[in-house]
Amino acid sequence: LLIPLVSKEHSATFPAARCIPSYSGLRDALERSEWHVYSEYGEDGLLATTFECFGAESRTFVELGTENGDQCTTRLLREQGWVGLMVDNNHNNTSRNLHRRQLSEGNVAVVLEELGFGRRRPVDLLTIDVDYSTYWVAKGVMEA
């Protein structure tokens, strides 16, 4: 689950029409945008296209479910100077700001707050891939 977080003000400044000429062309535009360097399924290209169209206000991400951070959705962004938080239930690497935590609908908001990425911190990208719990963790984030 990828959620580029674009504010209403920012989306008005960088209209998607600049990159995607029509709704009917959306699928083709997205398929042409898929490529990967470190991501598993072409997310690197999709995110590059998304942020080219809409911009990024803070160049900050949160990725929940990264494994060790080598092959993940945000590695290319990290290498391009973005900053962020990664959380996984099996891996920890503080030099990458990767923290080992068990996430659930009930604790995700508290964990994010403890790690400095609570509700008040601007984030351009939230990505969640926590096996069998993605929906519930996303629900916990959105209700926080």
Side-chain angles (χ1 to χ4, degrees):
L1 174 65
L2 295 171
I3 307 172
L5 304 172
V6 180
S7 69
K8 291 178 186 175
E9 297 82 20
H10 208 79
S11 63
T13 309
F14 297 93
R18 182 174 92 195
C19 300
I20 302 168
S22 69
Y23 181 77
S24 61
L26 179 60
R27 180 179 176 166
D28 290 338
L30 290 175
E31 286 178 354
R32 284 192 309 273
S33 297
E34 288 182 15
W35 50 266
H36 68 95
V37 177
Y38 300 113
S39 63
E40 192 171 0
Y41 297 110
E43 296 94 337
D44 291 329
L46 293 169
L47 289 172
T49 299
T50 298
F51 290 118
E52 179 183 324
C53 290
F54 295 102
E57 293 179 10
S58 64
R59 295 176 54 90
T60 303
F61 65 84
V62 171
E63 183 166 6
L64 308 177
T66 62
E67 296 202 5
N68 66 6
D70 287 340
Q71 180 186 17
C72 63
T73 304
T74 58
R75 180 172 175 185
L76 185 60
L77 296 176
R78 285 193 329 260
E79 291 184 1
Q80 294 172 342
W82 285 54
V83 295
L85 170 69
M86 297 183 295
V87 179
D88 190 78
N89 65 353
N90 294 312
H91 297 89
N92 190 63
N93 183 337
T94 55
S95 68
R96 291 183 171 175
N97 205 19
L98 168 58
H99 300 269
R100 182 178 182 189
R101 298 287 198 287
Q102 297 289 331
L103 297 174
S104 68
E105 176 185 2
N107 78 350
V108 66
V110 172
V111 169
L112 292 175
E113 191 70 41
E114 287 174 358
L115 296 174
F117 282 79
R119 292 183 297 170
R120 296 184 185 168
R121 180 151 185 185
V123 172
D124 289 312
L125 175 67
L126 168 64
T127 177
I128 305 171
D129 183 7
V130 286
D131 300 327
Y132 307 108
S133 298
T134 298
Y135 169 81
W136 299 108
V137 170
K139 185 174 185 281
V141 169
M142 296 304 176
E143 290 177 350

